[in-house]
Amino acid sequence: MTNRIAFQGEPGAYSHQACRQARPDMEALPCRTFEDAIEAVNSGAADMAMLPVENTTYGRVADIHRLLPHSGLHIVDEAFVRVHINLLTVPGAQLDDIKEAYSHLVLLPQCAGFLKKHGIKGRISSDNARAAREVAERGDKHVAALASELAGEIYGLDVLARHIEDHGNNTTRFLLMSREPDYSRRGDLGMITSFVFQVRNIPAALYKAMGGFATNGVNMTKLESYMVDGSFTATQFYADIEGHPDDPNVKLALDELDYFTTNTKILGVYPADQRRH
């Protein structure tokens, strides 16, 4: 056992924060891409991967749903991480000094109100943690980064302003992936089952496939579609339901799903995070 958990991004990224929050006993392993994080687990360099799947502000994380079915990994847990954005500066800088703030493209609009109020121009960086590292390297008191407090801690920056995001409910959902599945019942809030499927080419196939969940009283918390291999005719669906595959009503619903679908694959069975409720 390596006791490492892989994530995409530089040290101090929000995925790194998620690793610390959900698995504080594991060593976080930064990776350049999502594919690299997945490969780290498959190769044995890490035991788990922490992958973001959706955010309350900017929606689904691109590419993740495409990668999951073919990753060779299994979902064993989920984690909801509150994204607090902070203005990080070199020590000694004052708010009036800051002229520019660097961060990832999706973070800048979330702080638009704060930046406008203080006359700070938002600048795009490929990664919020990278922005923090580069601000530390430049040593310029007129330049800041928008990132996590963890990034400030790692790169020796001051937190000049905390929690400057415009909306107070910005949360990212992460999936924890492992080489081996864990179907054991665990947690106090019930189980979540995630799976992907393609519907058969018959009229009303999706409607009929979903009917089994309704008639058997299974709550579907997520259903998303996305194209397969760039084709407009091959659509794959990703779904989360409440319950365990061994629950009688879930088993009946999945049996009915199989009749109307092809390539149904369970991605993981895991305990619901308390922040889901």
Side-chain angles (χ1 to χ4, degrees), residues 61-186:
V61 176
D63 290 341
I64 286 295
H65 289 72
R66 176 181 60 82
L67 293 174
L68 291 182
H70 310 292
S71 67
L73 305 182
H74 306 269
I75 307 169
V76 294
D77 211 345
E78 67 176 353
F80 290 78
V81 175
R82 180 71 172 81
V83 178
H84 286 303
I85 305 173
N86 309 278
L87 188 72
L88 307 180
T89 64
V90 295
Q94 304 297 315
L95 190 55
D96 290 344
D97 296 327
I98 307 304
K99 307 301 181 188
E100 298 178 328
Y102 286 79
S103 196
H104 191 278
L105 176 64
V106 300
L107 255 62
L108 290 172
Q110 298 176 34
C111 304
F114 178 90
L115 297 178
K116 182 178 180 180
K117 177 181 177 182
H118 295 282
I120 300 171
K121 292 183 178 179
R123 302 295 190 196
I124 296 173
S125 174
S126 60
D127 183 275
N128 54 78
R130 177 178 182 175
R133 174 172 60 81
E134 291 179 343
V135 166
E137 291 171 350
R138 287 175 64 175
D140 184 347
K141 71 175 185 178
H142 301 295
V143 178
L146 303 173
S148 67
E149 289 193 52
L150 176 58
E153 173 190 322
I154 290 172
Y155 301 111
L157 299 175
D158 283 351
V159 180
L160 201 57
R162 276 183 172 81
H163 305 178
I164 62 173
E165 59 271 15
D166 294 337
H167 302 287
N169 61 350
N170 189 4
T171 301
T172 298
R173 179 185 178 221
F174 291 84
L175 297 177
L176 284 78
M177 312 288 293
S178 176
R179 285 186 297 278
E180 300 296 330
D182 183 357
Y183 283 14
S184 66
R185 296 181 186 271
R186 54 203 190 277

Side-chain angles (χ1 to χ4, degrees), residues 4-20 27-41 46 48-53 58 61-64 67 73 104 106-107 125-130 148 150 155 172 174-177:
R4 289 195 190 114
I5 181 166
F7 69 93
Q8 183 277 325
E10 297 201 19
Y14 287 101
S15 292
H16 188 185
Q17 178 185 324
C19 293
R20 276 206 178 180
E27 176 189 350
L29 177 67
C31 299
R32 190 177 64 85
T33 65
F34 293 129
E35 289 91 340
D36 290 342
I38 290 168
E39 177 55 29
V41 181
M48 303 182 79
M50 177 72 73
L51 300 177
V53 288
Y58 58 85
V61 176
D63 290 341
I64 286 295
L67 293 174
L73 305 182
H104 191 278
V106 300
L107 255 62
S125 174
S126 60
D127 183 275
N128 54 78
R130 177 178 182 175
S148 67
L150 176 58
Y155 301 111
T172 298
F174 291 84
L175 297 177
L176 284 78
M177 312 288 293

Side-chain angles (χ1 to χ4, degrees), residues 243-260:
H244 190 286
D246 290 341
D247 294 341
N249 63 330
V250 173
K251 189 176 188 313
L252 287 170
L254 291 175
D255 285 345
E256 195 163 333
L257 176 74
D258 282 341
Y259 184 77
F260 295 106

